[in-house]
Structure formats: C-alpha cells, structure tokens
Amino acid sequence: MVMAPFVLVHVGLIVYAVRSGLTAQALLARTQGSTGWIAFYGLFVVAVAIHVPIGVRNVLVEWTRLPRGAASVVSALFGMLLLLLGLRAVAAVGGLMS
C-alpha cells in the first residue's frame, strides 16, 4: 500500500513527459531544487529499497536453494546498493550534487 501511490505518480509522470515531448533537459529544469520532488522520490527510493530485498530473498531461497540466512545477507546488500544508487540519483536530479 505504501508503494502504490509512488508507482502511480511516477508512471503518470512518465506518460505525461513522453506525450508532452519533454526532453531530459526540460525535466531536469523542472525538478532541480524542488523540495517536493526530492522528498517524493527520496521516499520512493526508501520504499523500493525495503520492498525489493524481501522479494529477492524469497526468490533466492526458492530458485538457488541458498539457506535463508545467506539469502538474507545477499538481499540486504542488494537493498543497500539500491538505496545508495537511488538516493544518489535523487540528489543529482534534485540539483543537490555539484
């Protein structure tokens, strides 16, 4: 339930941008420095970084026969990587990185 609003808004924005013919430069001009979009996508990244490792752990246990503990470690590391890369992208798109 937490992910659904984020996904709907994100997909809606993608459809709007594509149909409007917006370029990457135009999108960046609209988002840089916007605390609302930085907060929205920052929370979206956190939600994804929590949600995805849970599913990855279950897939690893079922498909690779890894013990649950090992699968938990691998999926937690993957979640941390997603969090790091996602927050870095949010910072860059939001104009927080120079």
Side-chain angles (χ1 to χ4, degrees):
M1 288 179 47
V2 170
M3 294 279 299
F6 289 116
V7 171
L8 290 174
V9 170
H10 179 68
V11 171
L13 288 173
I14 291 171
V15 170
Y16 171 76
V18 169
R19 289 195 176 174
S20 299
L22 293 175
T23 63
Q25 187 177 17
L27 288 170
L28 286 174
R30 292 179 179 202
T31 61
Q32 286 190 332
S34 170
T35 55
W37 287 119
I38 292 168
F40 174 83
Y41 277 107
L43 290 171
F44 190 13
V45 165
V46 170
V48 167
I50 293 169
H51 176 79
V52 170
I54 295 168
V56 168
R57 182 190 62 212
N58 292 331
V59 168
L60 287 173
V61 168
E62 291 177 19
W63 289 11
T64 67
R65 304 289 185 212
L66 275 177
R68 188 162 286 279
S72 294
V73 169
V74 170
S75 63
L77 290 172
F78 183 63
M80 285 187 257
L81 178 65
L82 286 176
L83 181 64
L84 175 70
L85 294 175
L87 290 177
R88 185 171 180 238
V90 169
V93 170
L96 302 175
M97 295 178 71
S98 51

